[in-house]
Amino acid sequence: MNRRPAAVAFDVNETLFSLDRLARELPDGVLDIWFARVLRDGFALAATGRFRPFRELAATHLRSFIDGAEAERVLGLFGVLEPHGDVRPALERLRDAGVPAVTLTNGHAETTRSMLAASGLADLVADCLSVDDAGLWKPRPEPYHHAARTLGVEPGRLGMVAVHSWDVHGAACAGLVTGYCRRLEGRFVEGFTRPDVTGDTLGGVVEGLLALPA
Amino acid sequence: MNRRPAAVAFDVNETLFSLDRLARELPDGVLDIWFARVLRDGFALAATGRFRPFRELAATHLRSFIDGAEAERVLGLFGVLEPHGDVRPALERLRDAGVPAVTLTNGHAETTRSMLAASGLADLVADCLSVDDAGLWKPRPEPYHHAARTLGVEPGRLGMVAVHSWDVHGAACAGLVTGYCRRLEGRFVEGFTRPDVTGDTLGGVVEGLLALPA
């Protein structure tokens, strides 16, 4: 049975921050197919042990829908995305419990820092980590293990919280404690390693993680 | 410099067979997002060294768009997809050159056999291979190497032809000779390992592969 985590990492895009602002700037339906293709190709690279930065894949695929100057403008909006309403209560609950919260994204740490600062959430996050530091995208095990090493905890004492089934699966395969929030997908995708904790909001997931046996 | 292949493997869905029939049976825009998510999650599994069969992921994601009975009916159409117009000439050119053609799919070999039989192309294909036999999806190296072993050729003497940049990349990482057909994507996705040969049609790609130095 998995134990109460000593620190909790949160995925960033769609888990903490809404992509609605991007969706509104794009033709109907483009956000979903664009983002699915970026992840598809990032994971294809991960499956072959290769790496390209998120922004490069995001730009390449966005330019198949809109022209280059417009794509640059839309990509610039990543830094000012709005947090979901359940983020602040979840982060405050962890702070009150004395459990550090960090971010771990397939995007870039600097972009995450911008989003947190613009949303007044920076004080609630101990560190912003990115797969850039591991040179391989989630759901490969390396970035999860890199995060655990950076935090000085065993993988089995690090929680990973995401709204993406593939991220929960990757973290579970890497030995982390996992929390899945149903907000985006509605239900966990069959075929992936199931989460230790599931909730409708990030707050519910955090409560579940904190309730695990110490 | 890569050499003229002694055998050529073709990807199946979208490379040999059109998904238009499926698109017509689904609400507007669903085919693209469905297929991108199936591949995204298949590659996430591949990145963690895990495996689920294509049909299972395809069914799971299709049921997020249409009800279960309707999803089963649409999935049944995979066996009767129509070949693209450039398939027969490319396969006949290889037959005339004495170079065996096989298929290598993330889907199932039996489905491929059904499609080839229904299209009168079965005689032009020496064998139907699937990642099911390797227990890992393309673009992991294992299914490409498994195909080479099955054919009794070195990976460097096996050609891989696809309309997907990620498949060409995976084959190149596995040491195969690669041919990219621009028919689907228009241009090769930046960030992936570039093909040895590029063409607008499968026939053009085959000509390019046959023109490589022996």
Side-chain angles (χ1 to χ4, degrees), chain A residues 94-133:
Chain A
L94 283 171
R95 177 199 59 196
D96 295 346
V99 175
V102 301
T103 57
L104 177 61
T105 179
N106 276 336
H108 305 299
E110 201 47 58
T111 312
T112 307
R113 286 190 194 100
S114 296
M115 288 194 266
L116 290 169
S119 324
L121 294 167
D123 290 349
L124 294 167
V125 174
D127 205 352
C128 294
L129 309 176
S130 162
V131 298
D132 292 344
D133 304 315

Side-chain angles (χ1 to χ4, degrees), chain B residues 24-200:
Chain B
R24 286 197 302 271
E25 303 281 336
L26 294 169
D28 268 1
V30 164
L31 178 82
D32 279 350
I33 184 69
W34 168 44
F35 214 65
R37 287 181 183 170
V38 170
L39 294 178
R40 177 196 69 189
D41 286 357
F43 298 174
L45 289 163
T48 57
R50 309 300 170 97
F51 178 80
R52 303 302 302 179
F54 179 86
R55 199 178 191 293
E56 179 182 313
L57 287 182
T60 292
H61 283 291
L62 193 52
R63 285 195 300 263
S64 71
F65 298 106
I66 57 178
D67 76 40
E70 181 66 3
E72 284 304 305
R73 191 184 67 77
V74 171
L75 289 168
L77 297 174
F78 265 106
V80 295
L81 297 178
E82 300 252 317
H84 285 285
D86 57 354
V87 173
R88 178 175 286 279
L91 294 176
E92 288 178 344
R93 179 71 180 91
L94 284 171
R95 177 199 58 196
D96 295 347
V99 175
V102 302
T103 56
L104 177 61
T105 179
N106 276 336
H108 305 298
E110 202 46 59
T111 313
T112 307
R113 286 189 196 101
S114 297
M115 288 193 266
L116 290 169
S119 325
L121 293 167
D123 289 349
L124 294 167
V125 173
D127 205 353
C128 294
L129 309 176
S130 161
V131 299
D132 291 344
D133 304 314
L136 287 163
W137 280 35
K138 301 184 288 179
R140 287 273 301 213
E142 290 85 348
Y144 302 107
H145 291 163
H146 180 80
R149 274 197 306 278
T150 302
L151 291 161
V153 299
E154 293 296 314
R157 300 306 303 282
L158 176 59
M160 180 76 216
V161 175
V163 297
H164 304 112
S165 300
W166 57 261
D167 203 353
V168 166
H169 165 80
C173 289
L176 275 64
V177 188
T178 58
Y180 174 67
C181 176
R182 293 190 195 92
R183 188 192 336 105
L184 179 75
E185 298 173 336
R187 57 179 293 179
F188 194 76
V189 174
E190 288 166 49
F192 285 131
T193 309
R194 299 197 65 78
D196 295 303
V197 165
T198 298
D200 293 323

Side-chain angles (χ1 to χ4, degrees), chain A residues 44-111:
Chain A
L45 288 163
T48 57
R50 309 301 170 97
F51 178 79
R52 303 303 301 179
F54 179 86
R55 199 179 192 293
E56 179 183 313
L57 287 182
T60 292
H61 282 291
L62 193 52
R63 285 194 300 262
S64 72
F65 297 105
I66 57 178
D67 76 39
E70 181 66 3
E72 284 304 306
R73 190 184 68 76
V74 171
L75 290 168
L77 297 174
F78 266 106
V80 295
L81 297 178
E82 300 253 318
H84 285 285
D86 57 354
V87 173
R88 177 175 287 281
L91 294 176
E92 287 178 345
R93 179 70 180 91
L94 283 171
R95 177 199 59 196
D96 295 346
V99 175
V102 301
T103 57
L104 177 61
T105 179
N106 276 336
H108 305 299
E110 201 47 58
T111 312

Side-chain angles (χ1 to χ4, degrees), chain A residues 10-198:
Chain A
F10 289 84
D11 171 56
V12 174
N13 291 322
E14 297 188 305
T15 296
L16 296 184
F17 291 90
S18 168
L19 301 184
D20 285 354
R21 173 82 183 271
L22 299 178
R24 287 197 301 271
E25 303 281 336
L26 294 169
D28 268 1
V30 164
L31 179 82
D32 279 350
I33 184 68
W34 168 43
F35 214 65
R37 286 182 184 170
V38 170
L39 295 178
R40 177 196 69 190
D41 286 357
F43 299 173
L45 288 163
T48 57
R50 309 301 170 97
F51 178 79
R52 303 303 301 179
F54 179 86
R55 199 179 192 293
E56 179 183 313
L57 287 182
T60 292
H61 282 291
L62 193 52
R63 285 194 300 262
S64 72
F65 297 105
I66 57 178
D67 76 39
E70 181 66 3
E72 284 304 306
R73 190 184 68 76
V74 171
L75 290 168
L77 297 174
F78 266 106
V80 295
L81 297 178
E82 300 253 318
H84 285 285
D86 57 354
V87 173
R88 177 175 287 281
L91 294 176
E92 287 178 345
R93 179 70 180 91
L94 283 171
R95 177 199 59 196
D96 295 346
V99 175
V102 301
T103 57
L104 177 61
T105 179
N106 276 336
H108 305 299
E110 201 47 58
T111 312
T112 307
R113 286 190 194 100
S114 296
M115 288 194 266
L116 290 169
S119 324
L121 294 167
D123 290 349
L124 294 167
V125 174
D127 205 352
C128 294
L129 309 176
S130 162
V131 298
D132 292 344
D133 304 315
L136 287 164
W137 279 35
K138 301 184 288 180
R140 288 273 300 214
E142 291 85 348
Y144 303 106
H145 291 164
H146 181 79
R149 274 196 306 278
T150 302
L151 291 161
V153 298
E154 292 296 313
R157 300 305 304 280
L158 176 59
M160 180 76 217
V161 175
V163 297
H164 304 113
S165 300
W166 57 262
D167 203 354
V168 166
H169 165 80
C173 289
L176 276 64
V177 188
T178 57
Y180 174 67
C181 175
R182 294 190 196 92
R183 188 192 334 105
L184 179 74
E185 298 173 335
R187 59 180 292 180
F188 194 75
V189 174
E190 288 166 50
F192 284 130
T193 309
R194 300 197 63 79
D196 295 303
V197 165
T198 298

